[in-house]
Amino acid sequence: AQSVTQLGSHVSVSEGALVLLRCNYSSSVPPYLFWYVQYPNQGLQLLLKYTTGATLVKGINGFEAEFKKSETSFHLTKPSAHMSDAAEYFCAVTSSGTYKYIFGTGTRLKVLA
Amino acid sequence: ETGVTQSPTHLIKTRGQQVTLRCSSQSGHNTVSWYQQALGQGPQFIFQYYREEENGRGNFPPRFSGLQFPNYSSELNVNALELDDSALYLCASSSGTSGGPVRQYFGPGTRLLVL
C-alpha cells in the first residue's frame, strides 16, 4: 500500500522568504511523486513530478522538489515566496501499473506581507 | 488551465436524494478518474473509467457509480445521499490506464452540499 504524509497543515512565511513544504511517502514499489497546487474554488494544478532519473525536479512558478529515497521524502521548496503563492499544496504518490493517486491531506501556505 | 470541464459548479441536495455530476475530458484523453475532496482533506480516489469500462475503484460504497460515454465524457452518480457526501468532487482526465507517470488533468470540481 502507498501513503503520503504532509507535515504541517498550515505554513506561514514572509514574502521573500524560503518556502519549505514537507512530504514523506510510503511505498513498497518505486514511487512516482507529484506536487499539486489548489487555489480557492479551483481544481488541482500540477507543479512538478518525479518519475525516474534526476532526483531534483524543477517545476512551474520557481518551485522545485528533491526525491530522497533514503529519507522517503519529497519536500517542496521555493527560494523566495510571493504573495501569489498563497494556496493549498498537495503531495501525491502513485506507481507504475496502478490507476489511482494517493494524496496527502494538504498544506495551506500563507504568505505575509 | 486544463481542457477538463465539470458541471454543475455547485449543487445543493437533501439527504436521501440522488445526484449526477458531469465531466468533459480533455481532447484526446480516454481515461477519467473521479475524486472526492472533503473539507480540509486531500482528494480521495473514487473510481476510474477507461474506454467506457470501470478500471478500478477506491473504498467507496456501491451507491457511488459512474458511466463513461463514447466521447469519453463521464458521469458520477451518487444515490441515497448522506450528509458526509458533502464535498468537492473532482474529475481528472488522462491518456492511458497506468497511474505511472501519466499526468492527470483536473477539472475545477463540483461542490456538493447535502442538507
Side-chain angles (χ1 to χ4, degrees), chain A residues 32 36 38 42-44 46 49 51 90 94-95 97-101 103-105, chain B residues 35 37 40-43 45 48 55-56 88 98-104 106-108:
Chain A
Y32 298 128
Y36 283 87
Q38 186 175 37
Q42 293 188 26
L44 301 175
L46 180 67
K49 65 178 181 180
T51 54
F90 293 95
T94 189
S95 59
T98 74
Y99 41 76
K100 63 181 180 180
Y101 286 32
F103 284 86
T105 52
Chain B
Y35 293 82
Q37 186 180 9
Q41 300 295 316
F45 176 78
Q48 181 184 85
N55 188 49
L88 179 68
S98 171
V102 173
R103 177 176 173 177
Q104 294 192 345
F106 284 83

PDB file of all heavy atoms in Angstrom, chain A residues 32 36 38 42-44 46 49 51 90 94-95 97-101 103-105, chain B residues 35 37 40-43 45 48 55-56 88 98-104 106-108:
ATOM      1  N   TYR A  32       6.107   7.185  -7.980  1.00  0.00           N
ATOM      2  CA  TYR A  32       6.080   8.411  -8.762  1.00  0.00           C
ATOM      3  C   TYR A  32       5.434   9.461  -7.857  1.00  0.00           C
ATOM      4  O   TYR A  32       4.390   9.201  -7.253  1.00  0.00           O
ATOM      5  CB  TYR A  32       5.256   8.234 -10.037  1.00  0.00           C
ATOM      6  CG  TYR A  32       5.802   7.181 -10.971  1.00  0.00           C
ATOM      7  CD1 TYR A  32       4.983   6.167 -11.449  1.00  0.00           C
ATOM      8  CD2 TYR A  32       7.126   7.198 -11.383  1.00  0.00           C
ATOM      9  CE1 TYR A  32       5.473   5.195 -12.317  1.00  0.00           C
ATOM     10  CE2 TYR A  32       7.618   6.235 -12.247  1.00  0.00           C
ATOM     11  CZ  TYR A  32       6.785   5.232 -12.706  1.00  0.00           C
ATOM     12  OH  TYR A  32       7.270   4.279 -13.555  1.00  0.00           O
ATOM     13  N   TYR A  36       0.867  19.175  -6.301  1.00  0.00           N
ATOM     14  CA  TYR A  36      -0.197  19.951  -6.931  1.00  0.00           C
ATOM     15  C   TYR A  36      -0.481  21.176  -6.082  1.00  0.00           C
ATOM     16  O   TYR A  36      -0.325  21.154  -4.859  1.00  0.00           O
ATOM     17  CB  TYR A  36      -1.485  19.124  -7.028  1.00  0.00           C
ATOM     18  CG  TYR A  36      -1.496  18.091  -8.123  1.00  0.00           C
ATOM     19  CD1 TYR A  36      -0.995  16.819  -7.909  1.00  0.00           C
ATOM     20  CD2 TYR A  36      -2.033  18.390  -9.378  1.00  0.00           C
ATOM     21  CE1 TYR A  36      -1.013  15.865  -8.921  1.00  0.00           C
ATOM     22  CE2 TYR A  36      -2.063  17.442 -10.394  1.00  0.00           C
ATOM     23  CZ  TYR A  36      -1.546  16.193 -10.148  1.00  0.00           C
ATOM     24  OH  TYR A  36      -1.579  15.249 -11.150  1.00  0.00           O
ATOM     25  N   GLN A  38      -3.612  24.083  -5.286  1.00  0.00           N
ATOM     26  CA  GLN A  38      -5.046  24.342  -5.444  1.00  0.00           C
ATOM     27  C   GLN A  38      -5.351  25.728  -4.914  1.00  0.00           C
ATOM     28  O   GLN A  38      -5.182  26.005  -3.724  1.00  0.00           O
ATOM     29  CB  GLN A  38      -5.868  23.296  -4.696  1.00  0.00           C
ATOM     30  CG  GLN A  38      -7.368  23.420  -4.937  1.00  0.00           C
ATOM     31  CD  GLN A  38      -8.140  22.294  -4.263  1.00  0.00           C
ATOM     32  OE1 GLN A  38      -7.804  21.852  -3.171  1.00  0.00           O
ATOM     33  NE2 GLN A  38      -9.193  21.812  -4.926  1.00  0.00           N
ATOM     34  N   GLN A  42     -10.893  26.322  -7.077  1.00  0.00           N
ATOM     35  CA  GLN A  42     -10.342  25.806  -8.331  1.00  0.00           C
ATOM     36  C   GLN A  42      -9.921  24.352  -8.169  1.00  0.00           C
ATOM     37  O   GLN A  42      -9.837  23.839  -7.050  1.00  0.00           O
ATOM     38  CB  GLN A  42      -9.143  26.655  -8.776  1.00  0.00           C
ATOM     39  CG  GLN A  42      -9.510  28.076  -9.166  1.00  0.00           C
ATOM     40  CD  GLN A  42      -8.335  28.809  -9.791  1.00  0.00           C
ATOM     41  OE1 GLN A  42      -7.423  28.203 -10.363  1.00  0.00           O
ATOM     42  NE2 GLN A  42      -8.356  30.126  -9.699  1.00  0.00           N
ATOM     43  N   GLY A  43      -9.659  23.703  -9.294  1.00  0.00           N
ATOM     44  CA  GLY A  43      -9.158  22.333  -9.256  1.00  0.00           C
ATOM     45  C   GLY A  43      -7.672  22.310  -8.972  1.00  0.00           C
ATOM     46  O   GLY A  43      -7.079  23.312  -8.558  1.00  0.00           O
ATOM     47  N   LEU A  44      -7.070  21.174  -9.180  1.00  0.00           N
ATOM     48  CA  LEU A  44      -5.653  20.976  -8.885  1.00  0.00           C
ATOM     49  C   LEU A  44      -4.807  21.267 -10.115  1.00  0.00           C
ATOM     50  O   LEU A  44      -5.127  20.844 -11.219  1.00  0.00           O
ATOM     51  CB  LEU A  44      -5.415  19.532  -8.446  1.00  0.00           C
ATOM     52  CG  LEU A  44      -6.187  19.064  -7.222  1.00  0.00           C
ATOM     53  CD1 LEU A  44      -5.939  17.593  -6.976  1.00  0.00           C
ATOM     54  CD2 LEU A  44      -5.809  19.876  -6.006  1.00  0.00           C
ATOM     55  N   LEU A  46      -0.865  20.890 -11.599  1.00  0.00           N
ATOM     56  CA  LEU A  46       0.397  20.207 -11.381  1.00  0.00           C
ATOM     57  C   LEU A  46       1.544  21.208 -11.301  1.00  0.00           C
ATOM     58  O   LEU A  46       1.714  22.050 -12.179  1.00  0.00           O
ATOM     59  CB  LEU A  46       0.659  19.222 -12.519  1.00  0.00           C
ATOM     60  CG  LEU A  46       1.947  18.422 -12.420  1.00  0.00           C
ATOM     61  CD1 LEU A  46       1.892  17.457 -11.231  1.00  0.00           C
ATOM     62  CD2 LEU A  46       2.198  17.643 -13.707  1.00  0.00           C
ATOM     63  N   LYS A  49       6.637  16.886 -11.019  1.00  0.00           N
ATOM     64  CA  LYS A  49       6.525  15.451 -10.770  1.00  0.00           C
ATOM     65  C   LYS A  49       7.887  14.797 -10.854  1.00  0.00           C
ATOM     66  O   LYS A  49       8.774  15.253 -11.579  1.00  0.00           O
ATOM     67  CB  LYS A  49       5.572  14.792 -11.764  1.00  0.00           C
ATOM     68  CG  LYS A  49       6.043  14.836 -13.209  1.00  0.00           C
ATOM     69  CD  LYS A  49       5.048  14.114 -14.116  1.00  0.00           C
ATOM     70  CE  LYS A  49       5.530  14.134 -15.565  1.00  0.00           C
ATOM     71  NZ  LYS A  49       4.574  13.444 -16.470  1.00  0.00           N
ATOM     72  N   THR A  51       9.457  11.038 -11.671  1.00  0.00           N
ATOM     73  CA  THR A  51       9.180   9.680 -12.136  1.00  0.00           C
ATOM     74  C   THR A  51      10.448   8.850 -11.985  1.00  0.00           C
ATOM     75  O   THR A  51      10.550   8.008 -11.107  1.00  0.00           O
ATOM     76  CB  THR A  51       8.674   9.683 -13.587  1.00  0.00           C
ATOM     77  OG1 THR A  51       9.599  10.394 -14.418  1.00  0.00           O
ATOM     78  CG2 THR A  51       7.330  10.368 -13.665  1.00  0.00           C
ATOM     79  N   PHE A  90      -0.736  20.024  -2.330  1.00  0.00           N
ATOM     80  CA  PHE A  90      -0.931  18.602  -2.086  1.00  0.00           C
ATOM     81  C   PHE A  90       0.205  17.794  -2.700  1.00  0.00           C
ATOM     82  O   PHE A  90       0.573  18.005  -3.856  1.00  0.00           O
ATOM     83  CB  PHE A  90      -2.255  18.125  -2.695  1.00  0.00           C
ATOM     84  CG  PHE A  90      -3.470  18.686  -2.036  1.00  0.00           C
ATOM     85  CD1 PHE A  90      -4.083  19.822  -2.542  1.00  0.00           C
ATOM     86  CD2 PHE A  90      -3.998  18.084  -0.902  1.00  0.00           C
ATOM     87  CE1 PHE A  90      -5.208  20.351  -1.934  1.00  0.00           C
ATOM     88  CE2 PHE A  90      -5.127  18.605  -0.292  1.00  0.00           C
ATOM     89  CZ  PHE A  90      -5.729  19.738  -0.798  1.00  0.00           C
ATOM     90  N   THR A  94       1.922   7.716  -6.700  1.00  0.00           N
ATOM     91  CA  THR A  94       1.368   6.615  -7.446  1.00  0.00           C
ATOM     92  C   THR A  94       2.546   5.762  -7.902  1.00  0.00           C
ATOM     93  O   THR A  94       3.684   5.997  -7.499  1.00  0.00           O
ATOM     94  CB  THR A  94       0.512   7.117  -8.634  1.00  0.00           C
ATOM     95  OG1 THR A  94      -0.171   6.006  -9.217  1.00  0.00           O
ATOM     96  CG2 THR A  94       1.377   7.783  -9.688  1.00  0.00           C
ATOM     97  N   SER A  95       2.257   4.753  -8.684  1.00  0.00           N
ATOM     98  CA  SER A  95       3.347   3.913  -9.183  1.00  0.00           C
ATOM     99  C   SER A  95       2.915   3.252 -10.479  1.00  0.00           C
ATOM    100  O   SER A  95       1.729   3.255 -10.823  1.00  0.00           O
ATOM    101  CB  SER A  95       3.738   2.853  -8.151  1.00  0.00           C
ATOM    102  OG  SER A  95       2.635   2.038  -7.842  1.00  0.00           O
ATOM    103  N   GLY A  97       1.655   0.799 -13.093  1.00  0.00           N
ATOM    104  CA  GLY A  97       0.726  -0.313 -13.024  1.00  0.00           C
ATOM    105  C   GLY A  97      -0.478  -0.078 -12.141  1.00  0.00           C
ATOM    106  O   GLY A  97      -1.369  -0.915 -12.109  1.00  0.00           O
ATOM    107  N   THR A  98      -0.520   1.031 -11.413  1.00  0.00           N
ATOM    108  CA  THR A  98      -1.712   1.341 -10.622  1.00  0.00           C
ATOM    109  C   THR A  98      -2.503   2.415 -11.349  1.00  0.00           C
ATOM    110  O   THR A  98      -2.033   3.020 -12.307  1.00  0.00           O
ATOM    111  CB  THR A  98      -1.384   1.837  -9.210  1.00  0.00           C
ATOM    112  OG1 THR A  98      -0.884   3.181  -9.294  1.00  0.00           O
ATOM    113  CG2 THR A  98      -0.335   0.963  -8.553  1.00  0.00           C
ATOM    114  N   TYR A  99      -3.684   2.659 -10.862  1.00  0.00           N
ATOM    115  CA  TYR A  99      -4.584   3.577 -11.550  1.00  0.00           C
ATOM    116  C   TYR A  99      -5.026   4.725 -10.673  1.00  0.00           C
ATOM    117  O   TYR A  99      -5.832   5.533 -11.066  1.00  0.00           O
ATOM    118  CB  TYR A  99      -5.821   2.814 -12.018  1.00  0.00           C
ATOM    119  CG  TYR A  99      -6.337   1.832 -11.006  1.00  0.00           C
ATOM    120  CD1 TYR A  99      -7.047   2.263  -9.888  1.00  0.00           C
ATOM    121  CD2 TYR A  99      -6.091   0.473 -11.139  1.00  0.00           C
ATOM    122  CE1 TYR A  99      -7.487   1.353  -8.936  1.00  0.00           C
ATOM    123  CE2 TYR A  99      -6.548  -0.431 -10.193  1.00  0.00           C
ATOM    124  CZ  TYR A  99      -7.233   0.009  -9.101  1.00  0.00           C
ATOM    125  OH  TYR A  99      -7.680  -0.876  -8.151  1.00  0.00           O
ATOM    126  N   LYS A 100      -4.532   4.792  -9.465  1.00  0.00           N
ATOM    127  CA  LYS A 100      -5.001   5.869  -8.605  1.00  0.00           C
ATOM    128  C   LYS A 100      -3.824   6.594  -7.963  1.00  0.00           C
ATOM    129  O   LYS A 100      -2.756   6.046  -7.761  1.00  0.00           O
ATOM    130  CB  LYS A 100      -5.927   5.327  -7.527  1.00  0.00           C
ATOM    131  CG  LYS A 100      -5.295   4.352  -6.560  1.00  0.00           C
ATOM    132  CD  LYS A 100      -6.335   3.880  -5.552  1.00  0.00           C
ATOM    133  CE  LYS A 100      -5.749   2.889  -4.564  1.00  0.00           C
ATOM    134  NZ  LYS A 100      -6.762   2.423  -3.589  1.00  0.00           N
ATOM    135  N   TYR A 101      -4.091   7.837  -7.674  1.00  0.00           N
ATOM    136  CA  TYR A 101      -3.158   8.662  -6.947  1.00  0.00           C
ATOM    137  C   TYR A 101      -3.591   8.680  -5.479  1.00  0.00           C
ATOM    138  O   TYR A 101      -4.780   8.784  -5.180  1.00  0.00           O
ATOM    139  CB  TYR A 101      -3.169  10.102  -7.461  1.00  0.00           C
ATOM    140  CG  TYR A 101      -2.510  10.344  -8.797  1.00  0.00           C
ATOM    141  CD1 TYR A 101      -2.510   9.392  -9.800  1.00  0.00           C
ATOM    142  CD2 TYR A 101      -1.902  11.563  -9.053  1.00  0.00           C
ATOM    143  CE1 TYR A 101      -1.914   9.639 -11.015  1.00  0.00           C
ATOM    144  CE2 TYR A 101      -1.305  11.830 -10.281  1.00  0.00           C
ATOM    145  CZ  TYR A 101      -1.312  10.862 -11.256  1.00  0.00           C
ATOM    146  OH  TYR A 101      -0.722  11.122 -12.465  1.00  0.00           O
ATOM    147  N   PHE A 103      -3.290  10.975  -2.249  1.00  0.00           N
ATOM    148  CA  PHE A 103      -2.960  12.353  -1.897  1.00  0.00           C
ATOM    149  C   PHE A 103      -2.743  12.497  -0.398  1.00  0.00           C
ATOM    150  O   PHE A 103      -3.367  11.790   0.409  1.00  0.00           O
ATOM    151  CB  PHE A 103      -4.097  13.291  -2.308  1.00  0.00           C
ATOM    152  CG  PHE A 103      -4.157  13.571  -3.776  1.00  0.00           C
ATOM    153  CD1 PHE A 103      -4.830  12.721  -4.635  1.00  0.00           C
ATOM    154  CD2 PHE A 103      -3.550  14.705  -4.301  1.00  0.00           C
ATOM    155  CE1 PHE A 103      -4.895  12.984  -5.998  1.00  0.00           C
ATOM    156  CE2 PHE A 103      -3.613  14.980  -5.664  1.00  0.00           C
ATOM    157  CZ  PHE A 103      -4.284  14.117  -6.504  1.00  0.00           C
ATOM    158  N   GLY A 104      -1.897  13.452  -0.040  1.00  0.00           N
ATOM    159  CA  GLY A 104      -1.786  13.856   1.343  1.00  0.00           C
ATOM    160  C   GLY A 104      -2.949  14.763   1.717  1.00  0.00           C
ATOM    161  O   GLY A 104      -3.794  15.105   0.882  1.00  0.00           O
ATOM    162  N   THR A 105      -2.971  15.177   2.967  1.00  0.00           N
ATOM    163  CA  THR A 105      -4.082  15.985   3.468  1.00  0.00           C
ATOM    164  C   THR A 105      -3.917  17.465   3.156  1.00  0.00           C
ATOM    165  O   THR A 105      -4.807  18.255   3.437  1.00  0.00           O
ATOM    166  CB  THR A 105      -4.265  15.800   4.971  1.00  0.00           C
ATOM    167  OG1 THR A 105      -3.001  16.026   5.600  1.00  0.00           O
ATOM    168  CG2 THR A 105      -4.751  14.395   5.291  1.00  0.00           C
TER     169      THR A 105
ATOM    170  N   TYR B  35     -12.551  11.901  -7.984  1.00  0.00           N
ATOM    171  CA  TYR B  35     -12.051  12.031  -6.623  1.00  0.00           C
ATOM    172  C   TYR B  35     -13.054  12.811  -5.775  1.00  0.00           C
ATOM    173  O   TYR B  35     -13.722  13.711  -6.272  1.00  0.00           O
ATOM    174  CB  TYR B  35     -10.719  12.786  -6.595  1.00  0.00           C
ATOM    175  CG  TYR B  35      -9.562  12.054  -7.234  1.00  0.00           C
ATOM    176  CD1 TYR B  35      -9.378  12.078  -8.615  1.00  0.00           C
ATOM    177  CD2 TYR B  35      -8.655  11.338  -6.466  1.00  0.00           C
ATOM    178  CE1 TYR B  35      -8.323  11.403  -9.204  1.00  0.00           C
ATOM    179  CE2 TYR B  35      -7.588  10.663  -7.045  1.00  0.00           C
ATOM    180  CZ  TYR B  35      -7.427  10.706  -8.418  1.00  0.00           C
ATOM    181  OH  TYR B  35      -6.374  10.041  -9.001  1.00  0.00           O
ATOM    182  N   GLN B  37     -13.130  15.261  -2.470  1.00  0.00           N
ATOM    183  CA  GLN B  37     -12.290  16.055  -1.571  1.00  0.00           C
ATOM    184  C   GLN B  37     -13.173  16.688  -0.501  1.00  0.00           C
ATOM    185  O   GLN B  37     -13.838  17.701  -0.742  1.00  0.00           O
ATOM    186  CB  GLN B  37     -11.519  17.127  -2.339  1.00  0.00           C
ATOM    187  CG  GLN B  37     -10.528  17.885  -1.468  1.00  0.00           C
ATOM    188  CD  GLN B  37      -9.763  18.950  -2.215  1.00  0.00           C
ATOM    189  OE1 GLN B  37     -10.052  19.274  -3.367  1.00  0.00           O
ATOM    190  NE2 GLN B  37      -8.747  19.501  -1.583  1.00  0.00           N
ATOM    191  N   GLY B  40     -11.007  20.346   4.032  1.00  0.00           N
ATOM    192  CA  GLY B  40      -9.802  20.191   4.828  1.00  0.00           C
ATOM    193  C   GLY B  40      -9.034  18.907   4.590  1.00  0.00           C
ATOM    194  O   GLY B  40      -8.087  18.606   5.328  1.00  0.00           O
ATOM    195  N   GLN B  41      -9.429  18.165   3.576  1.00  0.00           N
ATOM    196  CA  GLN B  41      -8.775  16.884   3.280  1.00  0.00           C
ATOM    197  C   GLN B  41      -8.198  16.886   1.870  1.00  0.00           C
ATOM    198  O   GLN B  41      -8.523  17.739   1.048  1.00  0.00           O
ATOM    199  CB  GLN B  41      -9.772  15.735   3.398  1.00  0.00           C
ATOM    200  CG  GLN B  41     -10.396  15.598   4.773  1.00  0.00           C
ATOM    201  CD  GLN B  41      -9.381  15.229   5.822  1.00  0.00           C
ATOM    202  OE1 GLN B  41      -8.546  14.357   5.597  1.00  0.00           O
ATOM    203  NE2 GLN B  41      -9.437  15.894   6.965  1.00  0.00           N
ATOM    204  N   GLY B  42      -7.358  15.914   1.599  1.00  0.00           N
ATOM    205  CA  GLY B  42      -6.875  15.717   0.242  1.00  0.00           C
ATOM    206  C   GLY B  42      -7.893  14.924  -0.570  1.00  0.00           C
ATOM    207  O   GLY B  42      -8.785  14.281  -0.007  1.00  0.00           O
ATOM    208  N   PRO B  43      -7.770  14.964  -1.872  1.00  0.00           N
ATOM    209  CA  PRO B  43      -8.685  14.184  -2.714  1.00  0.00           C
ATOM    210  C   PRO B  43      -8.546  12.692  -2.450  1.00  0.00           C
ATOM    211  O   PRO B  43      -7.434  12.196  -2.245  1.00  0.00           O
ATOM    212  CB  PRO B  43      -8.231  14.538  -4.138  1.00  0.00           C
ATOM    213  CG  PRO B  43      -7.501  15.835  -4.011  1.00  0.00           C
ATOM    214  CD  PRO B  43      -6.844  15.793  -2.675  1.00  0.00           C
ATOM    215  N   PHE B  45      -9.559   8.913  -4.071  1.00  0.00           N
ATOM    216  CA  PHE B  45      -9.918   8.256  -5.323  1.00  0.00           C
ATOM    217  C   PHE B  45     -11.233   7.501  -5.165  1.00  0.00           C
ATOM    218  O   PHE B  45     -11.383   6.678  -4.261  1.00  0.00           O
ATOM    219  CB  PHE B  45      -8.789   7.300  -5.711  1.00  0.00           C
ATOM    220  CG  PHE B  45      -9.050   6.471  -6.929  1.00  0.00           C
ATOM    221  CD1 PHE B  45      -8.930   7.014  -8.201  1.00  0.00           C
ATOM    222  CD2 PHE B  45      -9.388   5.137  -6.819  1.00  0.00           C
ATOM    223  CE1 PHE B  45      -9.144   6.247  -9.336  1.00  0.00           C
ATOM    224  CE2 PHE B  45      -9.607   4.351  -7.946  1.00  0.00           C
ATOM    225  CZ  PHE B  45      -9.479   4.909  -9.207  1.00  0.00           C
ATOM    226  N   GLN B  48     -12.111   4.932 -11.585  1.00  0.00           N
ATOM    227  CA  GLN B  48     -11.567   5.366 -12.865  1.00  0.00           C
ATOM    228  C   GLN B  48     -12.285   4.629 -13.986  1.00  0.00           C
ATOM    229  O   GLN B  48     -12.610   3.447 -13.855  1.00  0.00           O
ATOM    230  CB  GLN B  48     -10.069   5.064 -12.948  1.00  0.00           C
ATOM    231  CG  GLN B  48      -9.413   5.502 -14.251  1.00  0.00           C
ATOM    232  CD  GLN B  48      -7.955   5.089 -14.324  1.00  0.00           C
ATOM    233  OE1 GLN B  48      -7.613   3.976 -14.709  1.00  0.00           O
ATOM    234  NE2 GLN B  48      -7.067   6.006 -13.937  1.00  0.00           N
ATOM    235  N   ASN B  55     -12.338   0.817 -14.400  1.00  0.00           N
ATOM    236  CA  ASN B  55     -10.982   0.266 -14.453  1.00  0.00           C
ATOM    237  C   ASN B  55     -10.371   0.099 -13.068  1.00  0.00           C
ATOM    238  O   ASN B  55      -9.265  -0.405 -12.929  1.00  0.00           O
ATOM    239  CB  ASN B  55     -10.117   1.205 -15.295  1.00  0.00           C
ATOM    240  CG  ASN B  55      -8.754   0.629 -15.574  1.00  0.00           C
ATOM    241  OD1 ASN B  55      -8.636  -0.518 -15.993  1.00  0.00           O
ATOM    242  ND2 ASN B  55      -7.722   1.406 -15.309  1.00  0.00           N
ATOM    243  N   GLY B  56     -11.060   0.543 -12.049  1.00  0.00           N
ATOM    244  CA  GLY B  56     -10.527   0.459 -10.697  1.00  0.00           C
ATOM    245  C   GLY B  56     -11.388   1.289  -9.788  1.00  0.00           C
ATOM    246  O   GLY B  56     -12.057   2.233 -10.222  1.00  0.00           O
ATOM    247  N   LEU B  88     -16.122  18.488  -2.380  1.00  0.00           N
ATOM    248  CA  LEU B  88     -15.786  18.918  -3.742  1.00  0.00           C
ATOM    249  C   LEU B  88     -15.471  17.652  -4.526  1.00  0.00           C
ATOM    250  O   LEU B  88     -14.654  16.838  -4.092  1.00  0.00           O
ATOM    251  CB  LEU B  88     -14.574  19.837  -3.721  1.00  0.00           C
ATOM    252  CG  LEU B  88     -14.076  20.359  -5.076  1.00  0.00           C
ATOM    253  CD1 LEU B  88     -15.081  21.325  -5.695  1.00  0.00           C
ATOM    254  CD2 LEU B  88     -12.705  21.034  -4.918  1.00  0.00           C
ATOM    255  N   SER B  98      -2.465   3.370 -16.971  1.00  0.00           N
ATOM    256  CA  SER B  98      -1.495   3.219 -15.897  1.00  0.00           C
ATOM    257  C   SER B  98      -1.389   4.500 -15.096  1.00  0.00           C
ATOM    258  O   SER B  98      -1.326   5.570 -15.642  1.00  0.00           O
ATOM    259  CB  SER B  98      -0.128   2.873 -16.471  1.00  0.00           C
ATOM    260  OG  SER B  98       0.850   2.930 -15.452  1.00  0.00           O
ATOM    261  N   GLY B  99      -1.349   4.363 -13.781  1.00  0.00           N
ATOM    262  CA  GLY B  99      -1.191   5.551 -12.944  1.00  0.00           C
ATOM    263  C   GLY B  99       0.206   6.081 -13.020  1.00  0.00           C
ATOM    264  O   GLY B  99       0.469   7.182 -12.597  1.00  0.00           O
ATOM    265  N   GLY B 100       1.130   5.294 -13.572  1.00  0.00           N
ATOM    266  CA  GLY B 100       2.556   5.603 -13.619  1.00  0.00           C
ATOM    267  C   GLY B 100       2.877   7.055 -13.738  1.00  0.00           C
ATOM    268  O   GLY B 100       2.443   7.884 -12.960  1.00  0.00           O
ATOM    269  N   PRO B 101       3.618   7.430 -14.716  1.00  0.00           N
ATOM    270  CA  PRO B 101       3.976   8.839 -14.874  1.00  0.00           C
ATOM    271  C   PRO B 101       2.947   9.595 -15.701  1.00  0.00           C
ATOM    272  O   PRO B 101       3.182  10.734 -16.054  1.00  0.00           O
ATOM    273  CB  PRO B 101       5.316   8.757 -15.612  1.00  0.00           C
ATOM    274  CG  PRO B 101       5.212   7.515 -16.431  1.00  0.00           C
ATOM    275  CD  PRO B 101       4.352   6.568 -15.647  1.00  0.00           C
ATOM    276  N   VAL B 102       1.844   8.947 -16.009  1.00  0.00           N
ATOM    277  CA  VAL B 102       0.840   9.616 -16.833  1.00  0.00           C
ATOM    278  C   VAL B 102       0.244  10.781 -16.058  1.00  0.00           C
ATOM    279  O   VAL B 102      -0.199  10.616 -14.922  1.00  0.00           O
ATOM    280  CB  VAL B 102      -0.280   8.626 -17.224  1.00  0.00           C
ATOM    281  CG1 VAL B 102      -1.404   9.369 -17.920  1.00  0.00           C
ATOM    282  CG2 VAL B 102       0.265   7.540 -18.123  1.00  0.00           C
ATOM    283  N   ARG B 103       0.214  11.914 -16.675  1.00  0.00           N
ATOM    284  CA  ARG B 103      -0.276  13.102 -15.999  1.00  0.00           C
ATOM    285  C   ARG B 103      -1.795  13.145 -16.038  1.00  0.00           C
ATOM    286  O   ARG B 103      -2.403  12.898 -17.078  1.00  0.00           O
ATOM    287  CB  ARG B 103       0.293  14.347 -16.655  1.00  0.00           C
ATOM    288  CG  ARG B 103      -0.230  15.638 -16.056  1.00  0.00           C
ATOM    289  CD  ARG B 103       0.415  16.854 -16.667  1.00  0.00           C
ATOM    290  NE  ARG B 103      -0.220  18.074 -16.194  1.00  0.00           N
ATOM    291  CZ  ARG B 103       0.183  19.294 -16.524  1.00  0.00           C
ATOM    292  NH1 ARG B 103       1.225  19.438 -17.332  1.00  0.00           N
ATOM    293  NH2 ARG B 103      -0.446  20.350 -16.068  1.00  0.00           N
ATOM    294  N   GLN B 104      -2.394  13.445 -14.903  1.00  0.00           N
ATOM    295  CA  GLN B 104      -3.835  13.644 -14.833  1.00  0.00           C
ATOM    296  C   GLN B 104      -4.113  15.143 -14.842  1.00  0.00           C
ATOM    297  O   GLN B 104      -3.474  15.910 -14.139  1.00  0.00           O
ATOM    298  CB  GLN B 104      -4.410  13.020 -13.559  1.00  0.00           C
ATOM    299  CG  GLN B 104      -4.307  11.507 -13.527  1.00  0.00           C
ATOM    300  CD  GLN B 104      -5.122  10.889 -12.409  1.00  0.00           C
ATOM    301  OE1 GLN B 104      -5.546  11.563 -11.485  1.00  0.00           O
ATOM    302  NE2 GLN B 104      -5.350   9.591 -12.496  1.00  0.00           N
ATOM    303  N   PHE B 106      -6.839  17.939 -14.014  1.00  0.00           N
ATOM    304  CA  PHE B 106      -8.012  18.069 -13.157  1.00  0.00           C
ATOM    305  C   PHE B 106      -8.939  19.192 -13.631  1.00  0.00           C
ATOM    306  O   PHE B 106      -8.494  20.252 -14.073  1.00  0.00           O
ATOM    307  CB  PHE B 106      -7.592  18.350 -11.718  1.00  0.00           C
ATOM    308  CG  PHE B 106      -7.064  17.149 -11.008  1.00  0.00           C
ATOM    309  CD1 PHE B 106      -5.751  16.750 -11.152  1.00  0.00           C
ATOM    310  CD2 PHE B 106      -7.907  16.391 -10.192  1.00  0.00           C
ATOM    311  CE1 PHE B 106      -5.266  15.625 -10.500  1.00  0.00           C
ATOM    312  CE2 PHE B 106      -7.424  15.268  -9.531  1.00  0.00           C
ATOM    313  CZ  PHE B 106      -6.110  14.891  -9.689  1.00  0.00           C
ATOM    314  N   GLY B 107     -10.226  18.923 -13.481  1.00  0.00           N
ATOM    315  CA  GLY B 107     -11.222  19.950 -13.696  1.00  0.00           C
ATOM    316  C   GLY B 107     -11.379  20.807 -12.445  1.00  0.00           C
ATOM    317  O   GLY B 107     -10.784  20.522 -11.408  1.00  0.00           O
ATOM    318  N   PRO B 108     -12.222  21.852 -12.520  1.00  0.00           N
ATOM    319  CA  PRO B 108     -12.387  22.773 -11.390  1.00  0.00           C
ATOM    320  C   PRO B 108     -13.230  22.205 -10.261  1.00  0.00           C
ATOM    321  O   PRO B 108     -13.243  22.766  -9.162  1.00  0.00           O
ATOM    322  CB  PRO B 108     -13.070  23.982 -12.029  1.00  0.00           C
ATOM    323  CG  PRO B 108     -13.794  23.403 -13.199  1.00  0.00           C
ATOM    324  CD  PRO B 108     -12.955  22.285 -13.706  1.00  0.00           C
TER     325      PRO B 108
END
